[in-house]
Amino acid sequence: METLIKLVNQKLDEYIEIKYPKTIFEAMKYTLSLKGKRLRPVMCLETAKILGGNIESALPAACAIEMLHVQSLIHDDLPCMDNDDFRRGKPSNHKVFGEAAAVLAGDALITYAIQTIIEQSKNLSDSQILNMVLEYSKAAGVYGIIGGQIVDIESEKKHFEDGKEKTLYYIHLKKTASLFRLAVKLGCIAANASADTTIELDEFALGFGLAFQIYDDIMDEISSFEEMGKTIGKDKSAQKLTYTTLYGLDNAKNKCFELIKKCHDIIDKYESNVFEEILGMVEHRLEARTN
Amino acid sequence: METLIKLVNQKLDEYIEIKYPKTIFEAMKYTLSLKGKRLRPVMCLETAKILGGNIESALPAACAIEMLHVQSLIHDDLPCMDNDDFRRGKPSNHKVFGEAAAVLAGDALITYAIQTIIEQSKNLSDSQILNMVLEYSKAAGVYGIIGGQIVDIESEKKHFEDGKEKTLYYIHLKKTASLFRLAVKLGCIAANASADTTIELDEFALGFGLAFQIYDDIMDEISSFEEMGKTIGKDKSAQKLTYTTLYGLDNAKNKCFELIKKCHDIIDKYESNVFEEILGMVEHRLEARTN
């Protein structure tokens, strides 16, 4: 996993060179270079690898997903959204570059990612690249993370077009699972996976995405700033709809373990150390909290 | 021209259906449905037409460019940017839906446009579509409108990485000309134009884009809210770098006429009523102001 993270960090740095006008490139690179676990790009590369594909050909797509993820973090942290001053333990983008530059840096990352997929992808056909860009665009927009984010924000105002349970599922599905599913899907496209394999691995990504958001909801309640690198306890104070506020802490933990077990059932046959490590990470942190 | 505007309005309405979650679709449609001149999509369609291409095959691209244009308007109007309460004579997006939804609606439009190009384009090859998406991504990002917007904002702080003249040219080139060039380029791609024709028409689009921004700078100084549908005189109060503040009103008018003449020199042989009408519109309004 460390090797893949290094590769992603190196390529992210390489793909975005600082040119004129400097401010915007610096703002884009700032949040992107804050060290994170790079879960999404790593899952994209690992998917291509376990399917016998070439890691190289999935690298631009993997980095594009991280750019999109970082874009969503930059905009989510804005004062008019979640108003968060810290991200990955450092001041958030708008605290360093101002709100205007942060809005623009986010905007820029959305299409810079697409440009990266189109210009940097190697050994892929036009049809594969086009397919990647389409999946990316859906996951980035109203049918993906934006859909999740708007419902998340509306939930603070206690405005539910649907019931609470459905609304919570929609938020987790769209806001969080979308990008994990995109990561695995682009890995599948890079490796020219069959339709059956793609569906199977999508189930895995969906399960992991839902588990990850429940884990995040739990951590927001019981974790610390030092552990998470961002302000903790904000969901509760913002009266957000989360898995723990709706179902309670114990049910949240049980659901998370159940989802991770389902992920194991799908992925174990591929004997991937990287996926084992990712699932293990969530399990171990949760177990440490259960005892 | 009226026919093309109607077609664009109809398709824009058709491409974005209001679904769950309603708020985001409504916010996207709100600014998009404010009646404008639809210059960019019309120029895209007309380019395809004069080159013997099919208008139908350029329609999704034309609408995508309008979505991108509207995205830039929504984000530019935000309090942290130009802080404008009106657009096309109506309250701006964040005044109606709030800042969070306005940020998200803008974000969503960026990739909804790409999805529209990929999913709705008819009779185009994968390579043509991919080429369109690449040109779109460049024009939308750091090498296009975002680059122009960040330098525009920095110019208010009197921070010029380059000299004033170069900086002003960069702002006009990137912030305004980018989208007109994109419009003509996607029309060329839809019509499978030769490299020579594409370069020639790009010259036209560049000239028109620069002329249009100088015209806009002039209007910001001498026009009225009723005429422009937006707050007037803001450039001056924000101490923005504009053609009129740098070179004076007379030089601005002369430069604008000169650029429009160059546009005529390129486009007249195509005998396009629509392009004549667009060039004439800028000329006549400026002439009315000169006398």
Side-chain angles (χ1 to χ4, degrees):
Chain A
M1 183 150 173
E2 277 308 311
T3 324
L4 294 181
I5 293 175
K6 264 192 191 161
L7 193 59
V8 168
N9 286 339
Q10 180 203 321
K11 283 287 166 181
L12 281 173
D13 192 51
E14 194 184 304
Y15 289 150
I16 307 186
E17 273 179 81
I18 292 186
K19 296 179 192 165
Y20 180 85
K22 272 192 210 165
T23 320
I24 192 72
F25 285 99
E26 282 169 355
M28 287 161 75
K29 278 191 102 110
Y30 171 74
T31 306
L32 206 50
S33 65
L34 299 178
K35 295 293 172 269
K37 295 175 296 295
R38 309 291 190 201
L39 280 182
R40 296 156 193 81
V42 163
M43 285 172 75
C44 177
L45 297 176
E46 185 65 10
T47 300
K49 196 177 153 203
I50 60 173
L51 299 177
N54 186 341
I55 281 192
E56 282 290 321
S57 62
L59 256 176
C63 290
I65 298 164
E66 187 68 10
M67 291 180 203
L68 177 59
H69 175 54
V70 162
Q71 178 275 323
S72 74
L73 300 180
I74 294 174
H75 282 188
D76 283 7
D77 287 343
L78 287 169
C80 68
M81 302 270 226
D82 290 354
N83 192 18
D84 230 314
D85 290 353
F86 292 94
R87 176 61 67 175
R88 293 179 176 172
K90 303 276 181 187
S92 36
N93 202 286
H94 64 273
K95 291 308 254 183
V96 180
F97 297 94
E99 282 183 56
V103 170
L104 292 172
D107 290 354
L109 282 168
I110 296 175
T111 49
Y112 203 91
I114 294 179
Q115 212 182 316
T116 303
I117 295 179
I118 300 179
E119 292 186 329
Q120 305 286 347
S121 287
K122 290 181 184 99
N123 308 315
L124 297 179
S125 68
D126 280 356
S127 139
Q128 279 173 300
I129 296 176
L130 206 51
N131 204 356
M132 281 183 171
V133 174
L134 179 60
E135 293 295 342
Y136 172 98
S137 299
K138 286 188 197 163
V142 272
Y143 303 117
I145 53 176
I146 304 280
Q149 177 70 357
I150 194 90
V151 176
D152 191 28
I153 286 172
E154 304 247 296
S155 84
E156 287 181 38
K157 294 183 255 161
K158 305 281 163 250
H159 169 72
F160 307 112
E161 280 182 42
D162 249 323
K164 276 192 185 182
E165 280 82 5
K166 268 194 178 177
T167 302
L168 179 73
Y169 182 76
Y170 182 89
I171 295 171
H172 285 204
L173 179 68
K174 298 296 183 173
K175 192 177 166 170
T176 313
S178 289
L179 287 195
F180 289 108
R181 295 174 84 180
L182 177 66
V184 166
K185 199 161 281 171
L186 298 199
C188 285
I189 295 173
N192 249 325
S194 71
D196 283 352
T197 305
T198 304
I199 291 169
E200 189 187 33
L201 291 179
D202 184 51
E203 277 292 305
F204 164 75
L206 172 61
F208 182 75
L210 297 173
F212 190 78
Q213 185 55 53
I214 297 173
Y215 162 78
D216 201 66
D217 286 357
I218 295 171
M219 285 304 178
D220 187 75
E221 213 166 301
I222 63 174
S223 170
S224 64
F225 178 84
E226 287 67 32
E227 194 172 355
M228 302 299 276
K230 57 182 180 182
T231 318
I232 290 300
K234 290 207 64 166
D235 292 348
K236 216 165 200 170
S237 61
Q239 298 200 288
K240 281 214 177 181
L241 184 62
T242 72
Y243 207 93
T244 50
T245 56
L246 192 59
Y247 299 105
L249 205 52
D250 279 345
N251 287 324
K253 283 176 188 166
N254 291 339
K255 183 70 184 174
C256 192
F257 280 126
E258 184 195 309
L259 285 163
I260 294 286
K261 195 194 159 296
K262 265 179 70 177
C263 289
H264 275 296
D265 290 346
I266 298 171
I267 211 76
D268 284 359
K269 67 175 173 196
Y270 291 101
E271 299 181 352
S272 151
N273 291 334
V274 170
F275 280 130
E276 291 300 323
E277 202 175 328
I278 291 172
L279 295 176
M281 188 194 73
V282 174
E283 284 173 312
H284 298 150
R285 288 204 190 167
L286 263 191
E287 268 161 19
R289 294 289 176 173
T290 322
N291 299 325
Chain B
M1 183 149 173
E2 277 309 311
T3 324
L4 293 181
I5 293 176
K6 263 191 190 160
L7 193 60
V8 168
N9 287 338
Q10 182 203 320
K11 282 287 166 183
L12 280 174
D13 192 50
E14 196 184 305
Y15 289 150
I16 306 186
E17 273 180 81
I18 292 185
K19 297 179 190 165
Y20 179 86
K22 273 191 208 165
T23 320
I24 192 72
F25 285 100
E26 282 169 355
M28 286 160 77
K29 277 189 103 108
Y30 171 74
T31 306
L32 207 49
S33 65
L34 299 178
K35 294 294 170 269
K37 297 176 295 294
R38 309 292 191 201
L39 281 183
R40 296 156 194 80
V42 163
M43 285 172 75
C44 176
L45 296 176
E46 186 64 9
T47 301
K49 197 176 153 205
I50 60 172
L51 299 178
N54 188 339
I55 281 191
E56 281 292 321
S57 63
L59 256 176
C63 290
I65 297 164
E66 188 68 9
M67 291 179 203
L68 176 59
H69 175 53
V70 162
Q71 176 275 324
S72 75
L73 300 179
I74 295 173
H75 282 189
D76 283 7
D77 287 343
L78 287 169
C80 68
M81 303 269 227
D82 290 354
N83 192 17
D84 229 315
D85 290 354
F86 292 94
R87 176 60 69 176
R88 292 178 177 172
K90 304 275 181 190
S92 35
N93 202 287
H94 64 273
K95 289 308 250 182
V96 180
F97 297 93
E99 282 182 55
V103 170
L104 292 172
D107 290 354
L109 281 168
I110 297 176
T111 48
Y112 202 91
I114 294 178
Q115 212 182 316
T116 303
I117 296 179
I118 300 178
E119 292 186 329
Q120 304 286 347
S121 289
K122 289 181 184 98
N123 307 316
L124 296 178
S125 67
D126 280 356
S127 138
Q128 279 173 301
I129 297 176
L130 206 51
N131 204 355
M132 280 183 171
V133 174
L134 179 58
E135 292 295 341
Y136 172 99
S137 299
K138 285 187 199 166
V142 271
Y143 303 117
I145 53 177
I146 304 280
Q149 177 69 359
I150 193 92
V151 175
D152 191 27
I153 286 173
E154 303 247 298
S155 84
E156 287 181 38
K157 293 183 258 161
K158 304 279 163 257
H159 168 72
F160 306 113
E161 278 182 45
D162 248 322
K164 277 191 181 183
E165 281 82 6
K166 268 195 177 176
T167 302
L168 179 73
Y169 183 76
Y170 182 90
I171 294 170
H172 285 203
L173 179 70
K174 297 297 181 173
K175 191 176 168 170
T176 312
S178 290
L179 287 195
F180 290 108
R181 297 174 84 181
L182 178 67
V184 166
K185 199 160 282 171
L186 299 200
C188 285
I189 295 173
N192 249 327
S194 70
D196 283 352
T197 305
T198 304
I199 290 169
E200 189 186 32
L201 291 179
D202 184 52
E203 275 293 304
F204 164 76
L206 171 61
F208 182 76
L210 296 174
F212 190 80
Q213 186 54 54
I214 296 173
Y215 163 79
D216 201 66
D217 285 356
I218 295 171
M219 286 303 180
D220 187 74
E221 210 165 303
I222 64 175
S223 170
S224 65
F225 176 84
E226 288 66 33
E227 193 171 356
M228 303 299 278
K230 59 181 178 182
T231 317
I232 290 301
K234 291 206 63 167
D235 292 347
K236 215 165 199 170
S237 61
Q239 297 199 288
K240 281 212 178 182
L241 183 64
T242 74
Y243 206 93
T244 51
T245 55
L246 192 59
Y247 299 104
L249 205 53
D250 280 344
N251 286 326
K253 283 175 185 166
N254 292 339
K255 183 70 186 175
C256 192
F257 280 126
E258 183 196 311
L259 286 163
I260 294 287
K261 197 194 159 295
K262 265 179 69 178
C263 290
H264 275 296
D265 291 345
I266 297 171
I267 209 78
D268 284 0
K269 67 176 175 197
Y270 291 101
E271 298 181 354
S272 151
N273 290 333
V274 170
F275 280 130
E276 291 301 322
E277 203 176 327
I278 291 172
L279 295 177
M281 188 196 73
V282 174
E283 283 172 313
H284 298 149
R285 288 203 189 167
L286 262 193
E287 269 160 20
R289 295 289 176 175
T290 323
N291 299 323

